[in-house]
Short mmCIF file of all heavy atoms in Angstrom, two decimals:
data_model
loop_
_atom_site.label_atom_id
_atom_site.label_comp_id
_atom_site.label_asym_id
_atom_site.label_seq_id
_atom_site.Cartn_x
_atom_site.Cartn_y
_atom_site.Cartn_z
N CYS A 341 101.16 182.12 164.46
CA CYS A 341 100.09 183.12 164.55
C CYS A 341 99.17 183.01 163.35
O CYS A 341 99.61 182.90 162.21
CB CYS A 341 100.70 184.52 164.60
SG CYS A 341 99.47 185.85 164.66
N TYR A 342 97.87 183.02 163.61
CA TYR A 342 96.86 183.18 162.56
C TYR A 342 96.43 184.65 162.55
O TYR A 342 96.27 185.27 163.60
CB TYR A 342 95.64 182.29 162.83
CG TYR A 342 95.88 180.82 162.58
CD1 TYR A 342 96.38 180.00 163.58
CD2 TYR A 342 95.61 180.25 161.34
CE1 TYR A 342 96.61 178.64 163.35
CE2 TYR A 342 95.83 178.90 161.10
CZ TYR A 342 96.32 178.11 162.10
OH TYR A 342 96.55 176.77 161.87
N TRP A 343 96.19 185.18 161.36
CA TRP A 343 95.77 186.58 161.26
C TRP A 343 95.04 186.80 159.94
O TRP A 343 95.22 186.06 158.98
CB TRP A 343 96.98 187.52 161.39
CG TRP A 343 98.12 187.24 160.45
CD1 TRP A 343 99.03 186.23 160.55
CD2 TRP A 343 98.48 187.99 159.28
NE1 TRP A 343 99.94 186.29 159.51
CE2 TRP A 343 99.63 187.36 158.71
CE3 TRP A 343 97.97 189.13 158.66
CZ2 TRP A 343 100.26 187.83 157.56
CZ3 TRP A 343 98.59 189.61 157.51
CH2 TRP A 343 99.71 188.96 156.98
N PHE A 344 94.18 187.82 159.93
CA PHE A 344 93.40 188.16 158.74
C PHE A 344 93.99 189.38 158.05
O PHE A 344 94.55 190.27 158.70
CB PHE A 344 91.95 188.45 159.11
CG PHE A 344 91.12 187.22 159.35
CD1 PHE A 344 90.96 186.71 160.63
CD2 PHE A 344 90.52 186.57 158.29
CE1 PHE A 344 90.20 185.58 160.84
CE2 PHE A 344 89.76 185.43 158.49
CZ PHE A 344 89.59 184.93 159.77
N SER A 345 93.85 189.42 156.73
CA SER A 345 94.25 190.58 155.96
C SER A 345 93.30 190.76 154.78
O SER A 345 92.52 189.85 154.45
CB SER A 345 95.70 190.43 155.45
OG SER A 345 95.80 189.30 154.58
N ASP A 346 93.35 191.95 154.17
CA ASP A 346 92.54 192.26 153.00
C ASP A 346 91.06 191.91 153.25
O ASP A 346 90.41 191.25 152.43
CB ASP A 346 93.07 191.50 151.77
CG ASP A 346 92.50 192.04 150.46
OD1 ASP A 346 92.04 193.21 150.45
OD2 ASP A 346 92.48 191.30 149.44
N VAL A 347 90.56 192.37 154.38
CA VAL A 347 89.17 192.06 154.75
C VAL A 347 88.22 192.99 154.01
O VAL A 347 88.33 194.21 154.09
CB VAL A 347 88.96 192.21 156.27
CG1 VAL A 347 87.50 191.92 156.64
CG2 VAL A 347 89.90 191.27 157.03
N ARG A 348 87.31 192.40 153.25
CA ARG A 348 86.29 193.13 152.49
C ARG A 348 84.93 192.51 152.78
O ARG A 348 84.85 191.45 153.39
CB ARG A 348 86.60 193.05 151.00
CG ARG A 348 87.88 193.76 150.58
CD ARG A 348 88.32 193.31 149.18
NE ARG A 348 88.95 192.00 149.22
CZ ARG A 348 88.78 191.05 148.28
NH1 ARG A 348 87.97 191.27 147.26
NH2 ARG A 348 89.40 189.89 148.37
N PRO A 349 83.83 193.15 152.35
CA PRO A 349 82.51 192.55 152.59
C PRO A 349 82.34 191.18 151.95
O PRO A 349 81.57 190.36 152.44
CB PRO A 349 81.55 193.57 151.97
CG PRO A 349 82.28 194.86 152.01
CD PRO A 349 83.72 194.51 151.77
N THR A 350 83.06 190.90 150.87
CA THR A 350 82.88 189.65 150.14
C THR A 350 83.98 188.63 150.38
O THR A 350 83.81 187.46 150.02
CB THR A 350 82.80 189.92 148.63
OG1 THR A 350 84.00 190.60 148.22
CG2 THR A 350 81.59 190.79 148.30
N ALA A 351 85.11 189.02 150.97
CA ALA A 351 86.23 188.09 151.08
C ALA A 351 87.25 188.59 152.09
O ALA A 351 87.24 189.76 152.50
CB ALA A 351 86.90 187.89 149.73
N ALA A 352 88.15 187.68 152.48
CA ALA A 352 89.28 188.02 153.35
C ALA A 352 90.34 186.94 153.20
O ALA A 352 90.05 185.82 152.75
CB ALA A 352 88.85 188.13 154.80
N HIS A 353 91.58 187.26 153.56
CA HIS A 353 92.65 186.28 153.60
C HIS A 353 92.89 185.84 155.04
O HIS A 353 93.07 186.67 155.93
CB HIS A 353 93.96 186.87 153.04
CG HIS A 353 93.97 187.05 151.56
ND1 HIS A 353 93.31 188.08 150.93
CD2 HIS A 353 94.56 186.31 150.58
CE1 HIS A 353 93.51 187.99 149.63
NE2 HIS A 353 94.25 186.92 149.39
N LEU A 354 92.87 184.53 155.27
CA LEU A 354 93.29 183.96 156.55
C LEU A 354 94.72 183.46 156.38
O LEU A 354 94.99 182.63 155.50
CB LEU A 354 92.38 182.81 156.96
CG LEU A 354 92.82 182.03 158.21
CD1 LEU A 354 92.86 182.92 159.44
CD2 LEU A 354 91.92 180.81 158.44
N ASN A 355 95.61 183.97 157.22
CA ASN A 355 97.04 183.67 157.10
C ASN A 355 97.55 182.89 158.31
O ASN A 355 97.16 183.16 159.44
CB ASN A 355 97.84 184.97 156.99
CG ASN A 355 97.27 185.91 155.95
OD1 ASN A 355 97.37 185.67 154.76
ND2 ASN A 355 96.63 186.99 156.41
N LEU A 356 98.43 181.93 158.04
CA LEU A 356 99.16 181.21 159.09
C LEU A 356 100.63 181.56 158.91
O LEU A 356 101.22 181.27 157.87
CB LEU A 356 98.94 179.70 158.96
CG LEU A 356 99.58 178.77 160.00
CD1 LEU A 356 98.95 177.39 159.92
CD2 LEU A 356 101.09 178.62 159.82
N SER A 357 101.23 182.17 159.94
CA SER A 357 102.64 182.56 159.88
C SER A 357 103.40 181.90 161.02
O SER A 357 102.98 181.96 162.17
CB SER A 357 102.80 184.08 159.97
OG SER A 357 102.23 184.73 158.86
N TRP A 358 104.54 181.29 160.66
CA TRP A 358 105.42 180.73 161.69
C TRP A 358 106.82 180.60 161.11
O TRP A 358 106.99 180.29 159.94
CB TRP A 358 104.92 179.38 162.17
CG TRP A 358 105.55 178.93 163.46
CD1 TRP A 358 106.11 179.72 164.41
CD2 TRP A 358 105.64 177.59 163.95
NE1 TRP A 358 106.57 178.97 165.47
CE2 TRP A 358 106.28 177.65 165.21
CE3 TRP A 358 105.26 176.36 163.46
CZ2 TRP A 358 106.55 176.53 165.97
CZ3 TRP A 358 105.51 175.22 164.22
CH2 TRP A 358 106.15 175.30 165.46
N GLU A 359 107.80 180.86 161.95
CA GLU A 359 109.19 180.90 161.53
C GLU A 359 109.32 181.87 160.36
O GLU A 359 109.01 183.04 160.51
CB GLU A 359 109.71 179.50 161.20
CG GLU A 359 111.22 179.41 161.28
CD GLU A 359 111.77 178.55 160.16
OE1 GLU A 359 111.18 178.55 159.07
OE2 GLU A 359 112.79 177.90 160.38
N ARG A 360 109.68 181.40 159.15
CA ARG A 360 109.85 182.34 158.03
C ARG A 360 108.93 182.02 156.85
O ARG A 360 109.25 182.34 155.70
CB ARG A 360 111.32 182.35 157.56
CG ARG A 360 112.29 182.85 158.62
CD ARG A 360 113.68 183.05 158.09
NE ARG A 360 114.61 183.45 159.13
CZ ARG A 360 114.76 184.71 159.57
NH1 ARG A 360 114.04 185.67 159.03
NH2 ARG A 360 115.63 184.98 160.53
N LEU A 361 107.79 181.38 157.13
CA LEU A 361 106.82 181.09 156.06
C LEU A 361 105.43 181.54 156.47
O LEU A 361 105.06 181.51 157.65
CB LEU A 361 106.80 179.59 155.76
CG LEU A 361 108.00 178.98 155.02
CD1 LEU A 361 107.79 177.49 154.82
CD2 LEU A 361 108.24 179.67 153.68
N THR A 362 104.64 181.93 155.46
CA THR A 362 103.24 182.29 155.65
C THR A 362 102.41 181.61 154.56
O THR A 362 102.72 181.73 153.37
CB THR A 362 103.02 183.81 155.58
OG1 THR A 362 103.66 184.44 156.69
CG2 THR A 362 101.53 184.16 155.60
N GLY A 363 101.38 180.90 155.00
CA GLY A 363 100.43 180.30 154.07
C GLY A 363 99.09 181.01 154.19
O GLY A 363 98.67 181.36 155.31
N SER A 364 98.40 181.23 153.07
CA SER A 364 97.16 182.02 153.09
C SER A 364 96.02 181.30 152.38
O SER A 364 96.23 180.66 151.34
CB SER A 364 97.39 183.37 152.41
OG SER A 364 98.38 184.12 153.08
N LEU A 365 94.83 181.43 152.96
CA LEU A 365 93.58 180.96 152.36
C LEU A 365 92.72 182.17 152.02
O LEU A 365 92.62 183.10 152.81
CB LEU A 365 92.80 180.10 153.35
CG LEU A 365 93.14 178.63 153.52
CD1 LEU A 365 92.30 178.06 154.65
CD2 LEU A 365 92.90 177.85 152.24
N VAL A 366 92.08 182.14 150.86
CA VAL A 366 91.10 183.16 150.52
C VAL A 366 89.72 182.65 150.92
O VAL A 366 89.26 181.62 150.42
CB VAL A 366 91.13 183.51 149.02
CG1 VAL A 366 90.08 184.57 148.70
CG2 VAL A 366 92.50 184.00 148.61
N ILE A 367 89.09 183.36 151.85
CA ILE A 367 87.74 183.01 152.29
C ILE A 367 86.76 183.95 151.60
O ILE A 367 86.83 185.17 151.78
CB ILE A 367 87.60 183.15 153.82
CG1 ILE A 367 88.59 182.22 154.53
CG2 ILE A 367 86.17 182.84 154.26
CD1 ILE A 367 88.60 182.39 156.04
N GLU A 368 85.86 183.39 150.81
CA GLU A 368 84.88 184.20 150.09
C GLU A 368 83.47 183.89 150.60
O GLU A 368 83.15 182.74 150.88
CB GLU A 368 84.95 183.92 148.59
CG GLU A 368 86.27 184.31 147.94
CD GLU A 368 86.34 183.92 146.49
OE1 GLU A 368 86.38 182.70 146.21
OE2 GLU A 368 86.36 184.83 145.64
N THR A 369 82.66 184.93 150.70
CA THR A 369 81.28 184.76 151.15
C THR A 369 80.33 185.33 150.10
O THR A 369 80.67 186.28 149.40
CB THR A 369 81.03 185.50 152.47
OG1 THR A 369 81.11 186.91 152.24
CG2 THR A 369 82.05 185.11 153.52
N ASP A 370 79.15 184.74 150.00
CA ASP A 370 78.13 185.25 149.08
C ASP A 370 77.30 186.27 149.83
O ASP A 370 76.11 186.08 150.09
CB ASP A 370 77.27 184.11 148.55
CG ASP A 370 76.45 184.51 147.33
OD1 ASP A 370 76.46 185.72 146.99
OD2 ASP A 370 75.81 183.65 146.73
N VAL A 371 77.95 187.38 150.18
CA VAL A 371 77.31 188.35 151.06
C VAL A 371 76.11 189.01 150.39
O VAL A 371 75.11 189.33 151.05
CB VAL A 371 78.32 189.42 151.53
CG1 VAL A 371 78.81 190.27 150.37
CG2 VAL A 371 77.74 190.28 152.63
N HIS A 372 76.16 189.23 149.08
CA HIS A 372 75.04 189.89 148.41
C HIS A 372 73.78 189.04 148.50
O HIS A 372 72.69 189.57 148.73
CB HIS A 372 75.39 190.18 146.95
CG HIS A 372 76.51 191.16 146.78
ND1 HIS A 372 76.66 192.27 147.57
CD2 HIS A 372 77.55 191.19 145.90
CE1 HIS A 372 77.73 192.95 147.21
NE2 HIS A 372 78.29 192.31 146.20
#
Side-chain angles (χ1 to χ4, degrees):
C341 178
Y342 287 88
W343 53 284
F344 281 94
S345 62
D346 195 21
V347 179
R348 294 164 283 141
T350 57
H353 287 77
L354 173 62
N355 311 288
L356 182 164
S357 295
W358 196 23
E359 202 219 33
R360 297 188 184 278
L361 288 180
T362 293
S364 299
L365 278 174
V366 179
I367 300 174
E368 296 176 292
T369 68
D370 195 352
V371 66
H372 295 321

